[in-house]
Amino acid sequence: MSYRIEIVVPSGLETLARAEAQRIAGLRLDPPTASGVIQATMRGSLSALFDLRCVTSVFVVRTFAIPRPRALLGDEHLRAVLAMITMVQRLHPAGTFQTLFLSAAGADSSVLQRFKHTLSERLGLAVGAEDGDLLLRLRPNDRSGWDLLVRLTPRPLATRPWRVCNREGALNGPVAHAMALLSRPHPTDRVLNIGCGSGTLLIERLLIGPAAQALGCDTDPAALACAYRNVAAAGLGRNVSLYDWDAQALPLPTASMDVILADLPFGHLVGSHETNLTLYPALLREAARVTRASGRAVLISHEVRLMERTLAELPVWYCEQQLRVDLGGLYPRIFVLRRRDD
């Protein structure tokens, strides 16, 4: 059976997400259209899509050739909607879905309220808030009627199961996974995550594949405690070493690392722009010292001009690529750097 699929991606990561999706057997991608969305057709088990790591959510889509949403309450269309939802429920253990939420323009109208409560009664699910387990989206289709989208999982794929400890401003899973991919991971890599926070970058890197060494450092004891919990929940406790190190003066030998990963302070939740004016040059100089020639650094920051100015003043780093990404209204850039030979 063939299914229409819509994959939601953090804007800016479409190319990486498409490359990842193309490896799934039975998934055929449509040509690129709008940013942040990948349209596709799936032949085969939809559960194969649960393994996508660069994406936010995945929906199955059905178009109903109806003039108005009221027609969804008719017997034929309502049975089709229920069958669509039941198919998604069967991808998971019984009882996985407890609440439903309908996202639509005019969701508070009497028609859509009736539609939502009818589904709730037929399915035995409570009507929930925006974080409802069963997420439905209803939108007009420019060509023919209305599209109904059902999210395939009870939580977004961006919500990582290993995240048992969260910190405000922590990097989201898809962006961290993309950064790990951009580091061109190899089993012999010696990886250092400076300012590791809750451990997101290290975990996503090691879930791609092993590394010869994986180190994280942070001067905040609460952040390190949080990272320890997440690393353990990911089953990586034996693979990661965490330290209370100042990233401006690392107790590491020169040229001892292959890869540097960092979510640099933006000055929003941590630090300030004034602090960053001295912090960024110091961090990049020290990162260059501990990185071997031709080693890589993948960094994300909202301080785009400061990063570009600092890199111009530190020719030891060559910027191979910049990616502008959407972090919920913030638009930082991922900088992919290579250390030049001395």
Side-chain angles (χ1 to χ4, degrees):
M1 186 172 181
S2 178
Y3 303 94
R4 290 296 303 156
I5 299 297
E6 183 166 298
I7 302 171
V8 181
V9 181
S11 180
L13 300 186
E14 293 87 355
T15 299
L16 288 167
R18 290 180 71 88
E20 180 185 32
Q22 285 171 340
R23 294 194 291 270
I24 295 180
L27 186 65
R28 188 183 68 201
L29 306 185
D30 292 357
T33 52
S35 65
V37 174
I38 298 172
Q39 304 285 353
T41 302
M42 181 68 179
R43 291 183 181 273
S45 174
L46 294 176
S47 59
L49 301 172
F50 299 171
D51 293 330
L52 291 172
R53 308 292 295 174
C54 277
V55 313
T56 301
S57 296
V58 181
F59 293 82
V60 61
V61 185
R62 177 164 177 172
T63 298
F64 290 85
I66 54 176
R68 291 178 296 277
R70 180 186 299 275
L72 291 173
L73 290 164
D75 182 65
E76 178 185 355
H77 295 312
L78 184 60
R79 281 190 287 109
V81 170
L82 291 169
M84 185 178 175
I85 294 172
T86 300
M87 180 270 295
V88 171
Q89 289 178 307
R90 287 174 177 167
L91 298 173
H92 303 273
T96 296
F97 297 92
Q98 298 292 324
T99 60
L100 71 83
F101 177 76
L102 175 65
S103 173
D108 292 332
S109 68
S110 59
V111 168
L112 291 184
Q113 285 288 322
R114 182 182 168 197
F115 177 59
K116 178 170 58 178
H117 286 285
T118 299
L119 294 179
S120 170
E121 293 171 3
R122 296 287 189 93
L123 296 165
L125 301 177
V127 174
E130 290 188 25
D131 60 350
D133 302 325
L134 182 68
L135 175 61
L136 312 177
R137 291 181 176 172
L138 184 65
R139 68 189 181 200
N141 183 306
D142 293 338
R143 297 182 302 276
S144 55
W146 292 75
D147 289 338
L148 180 69
L149 294 79
V150 181
R151 190 172 66 194
L152 292 183
T153 54
R155 289 291 178 268
L157 292 179
T159 303
R160 303 305 207 220
W162 52 258
R163 192 179 291 283
V164 296
C165 178
N166 198 18
R167 287 174 63 81
E168 188 177 5
L171 196 60
N172 74 30
V175 173
H177 186 79
M179 290 177 64
L181 288 174
L182 290 167
S183 76
R184 290 178 285 165
H186 190 275
T188 63
D189 284 341
R190 297 162 296 172
V191 181
L192 171 64
N193 179 195
I194 58 177
C196 65
S198 59
T200 306
L201 275 166
L202 277 175
I203 293 168
E204 290 296 322
R205 165 58 184 86
L206 291 175
L207 290 177
I208 292 173
Q213 190 176 32
L215 309 178
C217 68
D218 205 297
T219 55
D220 184 346
L224 288 173
C226 188
Y228 272 114
R229 292 182 59 194
N230 287 331
V231 166
L236 298 170
R238 295 182 178 180
N239 307 90
V240 173
S241 298
L242 300 173
Y243 298 99
D244 178 12
W245 290 345
D246 181 353
Q248 300 174 78
L250 295 165
L252 290 171
T254 297
S256 58
M257 293 286 113
D258 299 294
V259 176
I260 304 293
L261 299 172
D263 175 9
L264 297 176
F266 294 1
H268 293 271
L269 296 174
V270 178
S272 65
H273 174 68
E274 289 70 26
T275 302
N276 289 344
L277 291 175
T278 56
L279 177 64
Y280 276 40
L283 287 178
L284 286 167
R285 278 194 299 269
E286 184 66 351
R289 183 188 69 80
V290 301
T291 304
R292 67 166 174 81
S294 298
R296 287 97 64 204
V298 183
L299 317 174
I300 186 169
S301 176
H302 197 269
E303 293 265 28
V304 176
R305 291 183 180 178
L306 175 57
M307 276 292 294
E308 291 177 338
R309 187 167 66 248
T310 302
L311 290 171
E313 295 169 355
L314 288 172
V316 68
W317 288 116
Y318 170 69
C319 185
E320 295 183 329
Q321 186 178 6
Q322 287 189 39
L323 286 178
R324 182 177 184 266
V325 295
D326 183 356
L327 288 183
L330 290 176
Y331 296 92
R333 290 190 192 177
I334 298 172
F335 293 81
V336 183
L337 311 179
R338 178 174 54 82
R339 193 192 186 286
R340 298 182 192 269
D341 297 343
D342 291 330

